[in-house]
Amino acid sequence: MPTSSTEIILSTSRPLGLVGIASGENYEQANQALEAAGFSRLSNGAYTASLADDQAARRTASTLVAHAHENGATIVTSPRRYLGDIGTDIAARLPGTWSAQLEIYSLPLWQEDLWYGLWEAGEIYRALEVHRVPYASVLKDGKGTELLLVERPGHSSGYLLGALTDHEKEDVRDDPTTPPSMVLPAEPDQAASAITHTFLPAYQRALHHRDLNTVLSALERIREEHQSFQLIKSSGRYTAGVPLSSRLIDSMERAFADHAWISYRVVLEHAPELLARCQPATTPWPEDAAALIRLRAALADSEEAWHESNTLSSDLHAIPRTLHTHEWSHVRAQLGLAALPAIETWLTDSDVFERQARAAAPDEQAALSAASPRMLTARPTPLPAPRAATTHR
């Protein structure tokens, strides 16, 4: 990302008048110039001056030019309306209840913070990579959806829209579920229509596939660890020189249950909503209904352990001192042992789950003539019988 000299970017706003935003390594001096010229600071870091009186506005502009020169800042007049107004206008036209908040990245380094949340690999990704983006508008629906709106670099009008997420993600350039960015027209009505009818449906599909792949990856981790455990158990030896004993088998089983619970929590978090969308009767595999019933029952059987885990985590975060690592491991092992029958069901029916969940992607005509490429291929071997779980608080 290229650096830039210190600038004061001026744009106009119907409700605010003249808006000034400082950008560059010496942005604080630019802010001082705005204050000295009589601009008022907003909570988001932008500065405003009234345009109601033409003569007063000209004096303010003339004073700003002088102070900007003294502070080593260049004044840049934007041909666009103030982005804060654009974001608010678009948010007001989206379905549901949306808000817009302008974020300012005066210091060039601050722009890089967007990489951690950007769930996008198209034009807006490249814009952040190549250009200075001194500010953006973040649109929120109050339910977890956050969209990033920026002015399209290299163009006198138009905007770029991408998705933000706090979900852990892979490299967005390699992740097939990454939602693409969208070029939006300058007119808020048209921009809101494009978001409503094109971007948000694509975003919802991306969420669906991301959550599905998250669940499948968690099941695969459980499967791999269980198969390793079963191979060692069937061999009768822990290592070449250490034969298995009942005590060692018990220890290995608890270790597996500990790790399995960590991954199974991911299934419990994301699978219910995915299952709720599945309608096997509308697919070429109506016989999958029986497996989906088993999977829902497995989730229901895990509710007590899930609730206990969440309650324990909440209680422990409310006090200064938490459990030691080995104590956490013991608690997770107990929860995992209690959930092993449910975990076994999910491993057994994971192929059916994936097939039905992919066919149930929101507003998407799935390719139902054949199952999609599967992330999980090996069927599980039987799990060891779970031991009775006890509660530790």
Side-chain angles (χ1 to χ4, degrees):
M1 181 193 71
T3 59
S4 63
S5 60
T6 301
E7 298 176 338
I8 296 174
I9 304 170
L10 295 179
S11 58
T12 57
S13 164
R14 290 193 188 97
L16 298 175
L18 188 62
V19 180
I21 296 176
S23 171
E25 295 290 347
N26 297 317
Y27 73 93
E28 292 179 343
Q29 284 89 328
N31 283 339
Q32 291 172 9
L34 287 162
E35 292 173 359
F39 281 69
S40 300
R41 183 183 175 91
L42 299 177
S43 59
N44 62 15
Y47 286 80
T48 65
S50 174
L51 292 175
D53 186 310
D54 289 344
Q55 189 173 11
R58 283 194 292 271
R59 285 198 301 269
T60 298
S62 177
T63 303
L64 177 61
V65 171
H67 284 290
H69 178 73
E70 292 174 0
N71 286 273
T74 302
I75 295 178
V76 177
T77 303
S78 173
R80 306 168 185 262
R81 288 174 54 204
Y82 171 52
L83 185 61
D85 289 352
I86 295 295
T88 299
D89 289 348
I90 292 175
R93 292 164 170 79
L94 295 178
T97 303
W98 287 75
S99 64
Q101 179 178 354
L102 189 79
E103 293 186 351
I104 296 176
Y105 319 114
S106 293
L107 197 64
L109 184 64
W110 296 349
Q111 178 182 328
E112 297 179 12
D113 291 343
L114 291 171
W115 292 120
Y116 300 103
L118 189 64
W119 189 27
E120 206 297 312
E123 187 171 346
I124 196 171
Y125 183 99
R126 294 189 294 274
L128 288 170
E129 197 173 33
V130 177
H131 299 277
R132 271 288 288 132
V133 178
Y135 44 77
S137 183
V138 178
L139 311 181
K140 301 180 181 181
D141 69 349
K143 300 177 182 177
T145 302
E146 296 189 6
L147 309 178
L148 186 71
L149 178 72
V150 303
E151 295 174 346
R152 192 181 186 192
H155 296 75
S156 60
S157 65
Y159 301 89
L160 298 177
L161 186 77
L164 295 171
T165 181
D166 57 3
H167 189 279
E168 184 177 351
K169 58 186 183 297
E170 302 295 333
D171 189 328
V172 294
R173 293 165 295 184
D174 299 328
D175 183 0
T177 69
T178 301
S181 60
M182 172 174 279
V183 177
L184 297 178
E187 210 288 318
D189 282 334
Q190 296 176 8
S193 178
I195 295 172
T196 300
H197 299 294
T198 303
F199 187 88
L200 287 178
Y203 173 76
Q204 291 300 324
R205 287 193 295 272
L207 284 178
H208 178 92
H209 289 299
R210 182 200 69 186
D211 289 348
L212 173 56
N213 289 341
T214 298
V215 170
L216 295 176
S217 295
L219 292 173
E220 181 67 8
R221 290 193 297 272
I222 297 173
R223 188 190 307 281
E224 289 175 353
E225 291 203 22
H226 177 256
Q227 289 176 338
S228 296
F229 170 50
Q230 289 293 86
L231 285 173
I232 293 174
K233 187 177 177 181
S234 63
S235 72
R237 307 191 72 82
Y238 182 64
T239 64
V242 181
L244 283 177
S245 63
S246 59
R247 183 175 180 179
L248 189 53
I249 291 175
D250 179 71
S251 176
M252 291 176 60
E253 182 183 66
R254 296 185 67 83
F256 164 72
D258 173 14
H259 296 157
W261 176 255
I262 295 174
S263 294
Y264 188 54
R265 279 183 57 91
V266 175
V267 178
L268 294 174
E269 179 181 359
H270 296 288
E273 186 172 350
L274 293 168
L275 272 177
R277 297 188 186 124
C278 294
Q279 300 180 14
T282 64
T283 73
W285 314 285
E287 67 278 6
D288 288 349
L292 297 186
I293 291 174
R294 291 193 295 271
L295 293 175
R296 292 188 180 97
L299 292 180
D301 292 342
S302 305
E303 284 183 0
E304 183 176 351
W306 174 245
H307 176 72
E308 180 180 341
S309 176
N310 290 335
T311 301
L312 181 61
S313 296
S314 178
D315 290 345
L316 289 172
H317 283 122
I319 60 178
R321 187 174 182 179
T322 60
L323 293 178
H324 294 297
T325 301
H326 72 278
E327 293 174 309
W328 269 117
S329 178
H330 179 73
V331 171
R332 290 194 303 261
Q334 293 300 117
L335 295 169
L337 289 170
L340 282 183
I343 293 173
E344 178 181 22
T345 299
W346 272 91
L347 292 179
T348 301
D349 292 324
S350 60
D351 54 346
V352 173
F353 167 71
E354 180 183 5
R355 180 167 63 200
Q356 288 295 328
R358 292 211 185 279
D363 301 320
E364 182 173 50
Q365 292 296 324
L368 299 180
S369 59
S372 58
R374 298 184 55 236
M375 294 177 63
L376 306 177
T377 54
R379 289 189 174 273
T381 51
L383 291 170
R387 297 178 182 272
T390 56
T391 301
H392 293 263
R393 295 189 182 277

